[in-house]
Amino acid sequence: MTAKQDNLILAFESSADETSAAVVKNGHEILSNIVATQIASHQRFGGIVPEVASRHHLEWINRVTKEALQEASITNPAAQLSAVAATYGPGLVGSLLIGLMAGKTFAMVHGLPFIAVNHLAGHISAANFVQPTSYPAMAVMVSGGHTELLWMAKENSFQIIGTTLDDAAGEAFDKVGRILGLNYPAGKEMQEMAAKGQANIHFPIAHTENTFDFSFSGLKSSVLNYVHHADQLSEQINKNDVAASFQKAVVEAIIEKTEAAIQVFQPVQLLLGGGVAANLALRTAIEHLAQTYHLKLTEAPISLAGDNAAMIGAAAYLNFKAGRFSGLDLNTDPSLNFSRM
Amino acid sequence: MKILSIDTSGSSLNVGLLDSSTGLFFAHEHTKDEARTHSMKILPAIQALMTKAGWSFDQLDRIALTAGPGSFTGLRIGAAVAKMIAGQTFAELVPVSTLEMIALSARLSATDPNTTSYLPMINARNHNVFAAICRPGKPLDDEGHWPFTDFLSKAPKNSIFVFEQGTGDDFKAEIQTAGLKFIEQPSEKLIDAKLLAQQGLSAARADADSFAPRYLRKTAAEMAWLKKHPDAGDGDYAKYVSEV
Ligand SMILES: [Zn+2]
């Protein structure tokens, strides 16, 4: 057998309601990225039901695995793959378990090394599919479960600058969406409504003790109060205006904290990732901010902003290079996070 | 035939390797701290046994798995491992009822010649049980999730309840009042890994990729949703998930 020219990693992701397997080459090229989504199932309940999510993951895991291998033309995993990776946290424990057990078992059967990946590092590493990152960098991670400003002094090093004290940004979108009578998840529809409306209502942003931390639950409450107040007076509200005003407040909060952190930490590069990174208003605002401060910017492609295994493969490659492997006894860590700066 | 048996439905980890042509059998040896640690212990246990037997995964013919009922998380850990091994090798997945295995394992040590049927039982809280009627050699009867009292009224004469030690205290009085007996099994004896492998010889195989455990119980969220949507059918899982 000839030496492996390329590094091929099979990666698994199942931390929330997407079951995904992917094959990534040299950390930055996607050979396959199969994603099965359970959104239609959880829409029945208005949000993710963990036990249901876990059952779905188990039913789909073999199928996405086989499709990912087939699409990447992997016929002999032991010979063609360099390693197997899976998300081990943060996320829903029952969901994480399926991808983690599948990844560890695959590694055991084919005698491959196993790499455990932090889901947040995965989101940030989606940038590697666009271009290499320059350091020191600062990452803005916004999703349904997380809102974080992260410091990256060097490759594969992450420290928390700021985080949300209550709701994540994506969670706030879903909650306000519900107030406006939208289906879960509401991010995409909120964005469409916001584009048709005027940001003419003032929804205040909460002050946080640490300048770089976020808080979105007060914002959600003020939208709720606004809608209730109009209800009591039997006034019609313009939902598009509410969506536009809410979105503006969220984007402003993220930009304000990010700008403050840029001034203090002075990165050379910005990274934008996470499910909410698909929001165009946020993308435009981050692009403007990067321009103002002459920073290099990498935004996760919209198609890779949500949860997927390719980003886990990209992050796993960094661990592979650093020689960070895990044993078959590794457990999930649902509340896994980086340490504060 | 080379068979790997896996049971993670309860608190003990049961893993074994059986070569049916030679009778050679290796079992994972129980440790005191293995309850609720299946996700950490199962793969090192399988790997150690494979090394001991000198087998490669490509040599496995079958994987006998307790399919449920049992702890939902436990069932999924065993199923995820069994599905992936079967999906990546030539091995066939052979699911066996957890309740049937509890009954057959108890029969190994039972001595009462008058016992005609066993009533394997798993406590499902709120005075509910997963239970079935097992007449050895015949298919299981009435396997399901029951209010205990309803199940008790179905118990045949001379039948004997079997459950894990420490899980049946709420039911003992009712069982005795009904004139029936019970066996309390220590965790590590509840399911016999060798017997499970032997059952795997004759049990029907399943498609590993689409296999799902026999939970025997929908989630509370789904039951509430189905109540509100009586026309939605029996909740065919597959249609709610799609590739993007
Ligand atoms: Zn995510």
Side-chain angles (χ1 to χ4, degrees):
Chain A
M1 197 176 76
T2 54
K4 283 167 191 163
Q5 297 283 317
D6 289 308
N7 176 292
L8 264 53
I9 292 179
L10 169 69
F12 292 94
E13 155 62 35
S14 69
S15 63
D17 58 350
E18 259 101 30
T19 319
S20 182
V23 177
V24 172
K25 182 172 155 183
N26 300 329
H28 60 79
E29 192 184 326
I30 298 174
L31 300 189
S32 62
N33 188 23
I34 309 295
V35 183
T37 180
Q38 311 172 359
I39 283 180
S41 183
H42 301 291
Q43 268 172 347
R44 294 179 293 168
F45 318 118
I48 298 185
V49 175
E51 173 64 23
V52 173
S54 190
R55 292 184 181 193
H56 286 316
H57 283 306
L58 182 62
E59 280 156 24
W60 278 74
I61 194 72
N62 273 34
R63 188 163 155 184
V64 299
T65 306
K66 286 187 174 172
E67 288 180 26
L69 292 171
Q70 192 172 23
E71 208 173 295
S73 301
I74 305 293
T75 50
N76 184 349
Q80 289 173 274
L81 296 175
S82 304
V84 183
T87 305
Y88 76 111
L92 300 167
V93 59
S95 290
L96 288 165
L97 257 179
I98 305 303
L100 179 64
M101 293 314 295
K104 290 195 300 180
T105 304
F106 191 100
M108 174 186 75
V109 167
H110 295 293
L112 291 162
F114 177 72
I115 299 170
V117 174
N118 179 322
H119 179 77
L120 302 175
H123 272 298
I124 296 159
S125 301
N128 297 353
F129 295 117
V130 181
Q131 60 182 349
T133 299
S134 307
Y135 299 92
M138 197 168 82
V140 185
M141 244 296 303
V142 268
S143 73
H146 303 276
T147 306
E148 317 223 7
L149 280 177
L150 298 166
W151 181 247
M152 300 169 70
K154 55 182 200 285
E155 184 176 279
N156 212 14
S157 154
F158 309 93
Q159 286 172 289
I160 297 174
I161 296 173
T163 186
T164 183
L165 303 177
D166 37 60
D167 294 347
E171 198 179 353
F173 267 96
D174 287 337
K175 286 180 176 172
V176 169
R178 194 180 303 165
I179 295 170
L180 297 180
L182 307 183
N183 269 336
Y184 164 90
K188 208 174 159 202
E189 210 176 334
M190 287 280 286
Q191 175 174 268
E192 285 161 11
M193 287 166 63
K196 291 182 216 151
Q198 298 291 322
N200 52 15
I201 310 159
H202 177 67
F203 294 132
I205 293 292
H207 179 79
T208 52
E209 202 170 306
N210 173 340
T211 325
F212 309 121
D213 282 341
F214 301 87
S215 168
F216 292 110
S217 74
L219 177 59
K220 173 202 69 194
S221 303
S222 65
V223 175
L224 190 62
N225 289 340
Y226 176 84
V227 173
H228 276 181
H229 187 68
D231 263 3
Q232 278 166 358
L233 301 177
S234 302
E235 278 173 9
Q236 278 290 332
I237 56 160
N238 184 326
K239 288 185 180 180
N240 291 342
D241 289 352
V242 174
S245 306
F246 165 77
Q247 179 178 275
K248 179 165 178 266
V250 172
V251 170
E252 271 179 11
I254 294 170
I255 294 297
E256 188 183 295
K257 310 280 177 180
T258 307
E259 181 164 14
I262 289 172
Q263 288 169 355
V264 171
F265 295 97
Q266 308 201 329
V268 299
Q269 151 115 55
L270 274 186
L271 299 166
L272 177 66
V276 182
N279 182 285
L280 293 173
L282 178 60
R283 286 175 99 85
T284 309
I286 286 276
E287 285 158 19
H288 181 76
L289 189 65
Q291 243 167 25
T292 308
Y293 286 87
H294 306 289
L295 300 179
K296 187 173 155 189
L297 169 68
T298 314
E299 295 166 294
I302 289 180
S303 61
L304 296 176
D307 291 350
N308 65 85
M311 69 187 197
I312 302 305
Y317 178 66
L318 304 179
N319 285 345
F320 185 95
K321 284 201 294 181
R324 284 190 214 160
F325 299 100
S326 295
L328 297 179
D329 59 347
L330 184 88
N331 206 357
T332 59
D333 188 349
S335 53
L336 177 68
N337 211 333
F338 304 119
S339 53
R340 280 236 181 211
M341 274 198 86
Chain B
M1 224 180 234
K2 288 182 164 56
I3 304 176
L4 162 66
S5 60
I6 296 176
D7 168 59
T8 51
S9 64
S11 52
S12 274
L13 173 63
N14 299 299
V15 182
L17 289 182
L18 173 70
D19 189 331
S20 64
S21 56
T22 63
L24 182 84
F25 179 74
F26 295 107
H28 160 70
E29 281 178 28
H30 296 289
T31 54
K32 284 225 174 329
D33 59 342
E34 69 188 16
R36 311 247 168 257
T37 55
H38 298 330
S39 62
M40 293 184 275
K41 302 236 162 100
I42 184 169
L43 296 178
I46 292 174
Q47 209 171 32
L49 291 179
M50 292 291 283
T51 305
K52 209 167 167 184
W55 298 357
S56 74
F57 283 97
D58 278 345
Q59 291 177 293
L60 283 180
D61 296 297
R62 289 197 155 188
I63 303 165
L65 171 75
T66 44
S71 140
F72 293 161
T73 300
L75 292 176
R76 276 192 290 269
I77 291 169
V81 170
K83 278 169 70 110
M84 191 53 77
I85 297 175
Q88 292 299 314
T89 65
F90 306 109
E92 296 172 340
L93 176 64
V94 191
V96 182
S97 162
T98 308
L99 292 170
E100 186 165 21
M101 288 316 305
I102 291 173
L104 297 180
S105 303
R107 195 169 154 235
L108 283 180
S109 50
T111 49
D112 184 349
N114 294 323
T115 304
T116 51
S117 42
Y118 292 82
L119 309 173
M121 181 172 87
I122 298 169
N123 191 337
R125 291 194 290 265
N126 302 321
H127 220 63
N128 292 316
V129 294
F130 292 112
I133 300 170
C134 178
R135 298 175 180 87
K138 297 201 179 121
L140 276 192
D141 270 331
D142 296 313
E143 182 184 44
H145 178 260
W146 297 93
F148 176 72
T149 312
D150 292 4
F151 181 75
L152 185 62
S153 69
K154 292 183 167 290
K157 272 192 184 140
N158 289 328
S159 58
I160 184 160
F161 278 88
V162 187
F163 46 82
E164 183 185 347
Q165 222 162 47
T167 68
D169 294 354
D170 295 351
F171 312 114
K172 286 177 181 171
E174 275 177 85
I175 292 172
Q176 277 162 338
T177 306
L180 297 170
K181 287 186 270 188
F182 57 79
I183 304 173
E184 285 188 276
Q185 294 276 64
S187 314
E188 68 277 9
K189 289 239 168 88
L190 191 65
I191 288 179
D192 186 87
K194 186 172 182 182
L195 204 55
L196 175 56
Q198 284 164 344
Q199 282 299 111
L201 278 171
S202 55
R205 51 183 257 204
D207 174 54
D209 294 350
S210 59
F211 173 79
R214 279 147 78 178
Y215 299 107
L216 297 187
R217 188 150 203 265
K218 288 194 194 323
T219 62
E222 283 171 300
M223 286 192 283
W225 186 84
L226 284 168
K227 218 176 223 174
K228 276 193 262 171
H229 301 82
D231 303 332
D234 201 28
D236 171 14
Y237 270 107
K239 76 180 176 206
Y240 294 116
V241 183
S242 57
E243 285 181 15
V244 290

